[in-house]
Amino acid sequence: MSHAILAEEVTKEFREGNDTLQILRGASLVVPRGEIVAIEGPSGSGKTTFISIIGCLLAATGGRVEVAGQAVDAKRPTRLAEIRKKHLGFVFQQFNLFPALTALENVQYALNLKGVSGQRAKQEASELLDRVGLADRKNFLPRDMSGGQKQRIAIARALCGRPDVILADEPTASLDAVVAEQVLTLFQELARQDGRAVLIVTHDSKVRRITDRVVRIDGGRIAA
Amino acid sequence: MIDLAWKMLFFDKVRFLITISGVAFAVMLVLVQTGLFGGLLHNATVTIEHMDADIWITSRNSPNLDFVHQFSESNVERVRAVQGVKRADNLILSFMQVSLPNGSEETAVVYALSDFETWGVPWLMTQGNLDDLKRGPHVIFDEFARKRFGEFQLGDYRELNGNRLKIVGTTRDAKSFTTTPLVFIDYHRAQQIQPDLLRGRASYILVKTEPGADVEQVMARLRDILPYNDVYTSKAWAERSRKYWVENTGIGFNAFLTVFLGCLVGVVVVAQTLYTSTMEHLREFGTVKAIGGSNWDIYQILGKQAVLSAIFGFVLGYIPARLLEPIVEKGDLKLIIPSELSLMVLVGTVALCLFAAAISFRKVSNIDPALVFRV
């Protein structure tokens, strides 16, 4: 099975005044297609930094990263944007939906950015929302929807352009137990049916139910 | 394509209203100030523009229409003999004192011609007959004079420099830069009223050229025969007159300063609201980047919002500025907002709003995309 995510000896340093903070100290992880991996760890352990590097949102200081076989080269920002556009989907703890857009428009806009426009974008957005169980909420604004519904819009948006990798940061943190279960089941489908790699950063033990593997990040290193 | 710029802008209606109010205020300020400035300058040369003359012959170095020196009226005979001249007449422009019924006096700018009709002045008679000027000691007042001279009717008498004249007509729109009322009397009557200054003398010679004549050539011939006068086209004379007021009274600097302040207010308001809005939507812009958008996509959003703010703000400022026109007209002033000015202000507003938006571009280009993960 080919690797959807490959991270080798990834390091990340931040400078704060004269001090250098080493957040990642050689984190390595390989996630094949179709696998769900949870990353756990205490606050400040580098989970979000790691997922940001995998998500081409942050440049690593050292090490090697590949997403869907594409080398992540921080020196080429346009290349990073291309990888994000073609191979990655994001689900955020705070949903990060556009409040001025309806559910359908939120998904449609993401499709527009990925080069799908017009009626085709509308059709695809509609199908994605059907898939996450929001067929009857397409024209609602996020402010009129529950946390679970918002997260489902975010998942539908993350699926735009059929990415190889879904990166989710605490996707159940803002949800109640029942809704969290529904969202996790969705992630499970994405991995099992579509063969997508799903990397979930979480503190939530419920997530373990759907994962193939749980890795722990601590002190900037990943332990299986 | 989902129009995120439009949707974001109208989603927060209060902020949008604040933004366009700032733009509207600036637009109104610029339009009204420039319009008043234009109105003043229009008054300064309104008679030149309405006089059906191709060429104005003035005394040497006359700075503007109102500040004249008289010269020999016989010069007109020489002008009439010049090739290419179809018609030439003397014009008297002089300041005279009008005695009012309450015993006080006001100044009037007197325009005197032998044949007003030929030269198209006055251009807007509201009462009376222009021909009556020749039929006795008669005068035509502009309606605007009521503000200075008090109420008057046709058939009333007023004294000009102590000479009793009957009011035989009224005009509209005949104004001067200094807002001194304009009155019209017969050429010879003016010389009778002010003999010391005007007997045998004229203020201007108006020239109408033959159809097809080269005006520049005619002017050159006129300069040859009248070395102690200046010769201008109507347009050049109007420009010289306006330039005098702009450069010598501080009115030009005043207008420039107000326009500059208006633009500054507009830019500051728009820049401030757009920048604050950008800061508040930073997470959304970070999300745009995370889901595949580029800085250019975000610049387009900000740019479009700036253009929309400019257009809506312009309309909101333009309407009250236009509504002010008749109100200002009721006063001693004139507000002129030509379509060219409106277009320039619209283009300027869009440009300045885009400039204001560009201040936010730097912030956006430096967004840390990882902020989307932060709670």
Side-chain angles (χ1 to χ4, degrees), chain A residues 103 134 137-138 140-150 153:
Chain A
L134 288 176
R137 290 283 187 276
K138 286 174 190 169
F140 282 57
L141 288 169
R143 68 176 174 210
D144 300 323
M145 302 175 95
S146 68
Q149 288 167 333
K150 286 181 199 168
I153 302 171

Side-chain angles (χ1 to χ4, degrees), chain A residues 48 52 57 84-85 90 92-94 96 98-101 105 108-109 112-114 143 157 169, chain B residues 1-2 4 7-8 11 283-284 287-293 297 301 368-370 372-373 375:
Chain A
T48 299
S52 297
L57 294 170
R84 285 201 299 272
K85 196 185 275 192
F90 293 89
F92 310 102
Q93 182 179 347
Q94 293 299 311
N96 291 3
F98 300 107
L101 303 184
E105 288 167 341
Q108 220 177 315
Y109 182 67
N112 291 160
L113 287 177
K114 289 172 194 277
R143 68 176 174 210
R157 186 175 67 181
D169 183 41
Chain B
M1 186 80 179
I2 295 297
L4 187 59
K7 299 249 178 186
M8 278 170 84
F11 188 66
R283 180 183 283 269
E284 287 170 56
T287 305
V288 170
K289 278 191 179 182
I291 63 178
D297 290 311
I301 292 171
D368 174 7
V372 291
F373 286 123
V375 178

